[in-house]
Amino acid sequence: LDTEWNFDDDDEETDPSKQVIVGVCAMEKKTHSKPMTEILNRLQEFVYIKTVIFKESVILNFPVEDWPIVDCLIAFHSAGFPLNKAIQYEKLRKPFIINNLEDQFDIQDRRSVYRILCKER
């Protein structure tokens, strides 16, 4: 499976059964952006957190049953991102979701964003 694993090999004494695997599911442009790099660098500072970046080829070409299994998922919609597949993955594997996937449909429509902002006033 064509998956990018970002594990630190330095922490050999850390018990893997006590580690939280955080998956990042987004298109390559997002996963390699400066803000995402900063987030990933900060996550790597925690001994009990390991990150897995889902490769774009896996997201686009493989069924969700073949995606890496993670404890926690961060997913970001962008052009070409199959948000429905990410939601299927969420329903199948039930990871802890950092950012609501269903709500990402709303941010694609400026009228929905406006409605949400007015409601939150």
Side-chain angles (χ1 to χ4, degrees), residues 66-77:
D66 295 339
W67 289 10
I69 297 174
V70 298
D71 302 308
C72 178
L73 184 70
I74 303 170
F76 296 100
H77 178 271

Side-chain angles (χ1 to χ4, degrees), residues 8-25:
D8 280 338
D9 294 328
D10 309 1
D11 297 325
E12 293 177 346
E13 54 199 68
T14 302
D15 182 356
S17 67
K18 294 181 180 178
Q19 293 177 329
V20 175
I21 308 299
V22 177
V24 179
C25 184

Side-chain angles (χ1 to χ4, degrees), residues 1-6 28 31-32 51-55 58:
L1 184 61
D2 187 20
T3 305
E4 182 175 335
W5 298 91
N6 289 337
E28 276 184 25
T31 59
H32 292 110
T51 56
V52 176
I53 298 176
F54 293 24
K55 279 202 156 199
V58 171

Side-chain angles (χ1 to χ4, degrees), residues 16-17 23 26 29 73 84 86 91 101 119:
S17 67
K29 186 174 181 180
L73 184 70
N84 283 320
K91 290 177 181 173
L101 299 176
K119 189 172 27 170

Side-chain angles (χ1 to χ4, degrees), residues 61-121:
N61 303 318
F62 287 82
V64 295
E65 294 82 7
D66 295 339
W67 289 10
I69 297 174
V70 298
D71 302 308
C72 178
L73 184 70
I74 303 170
F76 296 100
H77 178 271
S78 62
F81 181 78
L83 186 54
N84 283 320
K85 272 179 95 172
I87 291 169
Q88 287 175 351
Y89 178 86
E90 174 189 7
K91 290 177 181 173
L92 175 68
R93 302 292 183 204
K94 300 186 182 356
F96 181 82
I97 301 295
I98 298 294
N99 52 340
N100 187 308
L101 299 176
E102 299 280 346
D103 286 351
Q104 292 188 43
F105 283 115
D106 290 332
I107 63 173
Q108 296 176 50
D109 180 356
R110 63 181 170 76
R111 294 167 300 184
S112 293
V113 171
Y114 181 74
R115 239 185 331 269
I116 292 166
L117 291 173
C118 286
K119 189 172 27 170
E120 294 300 318
R121 265 195 197 170

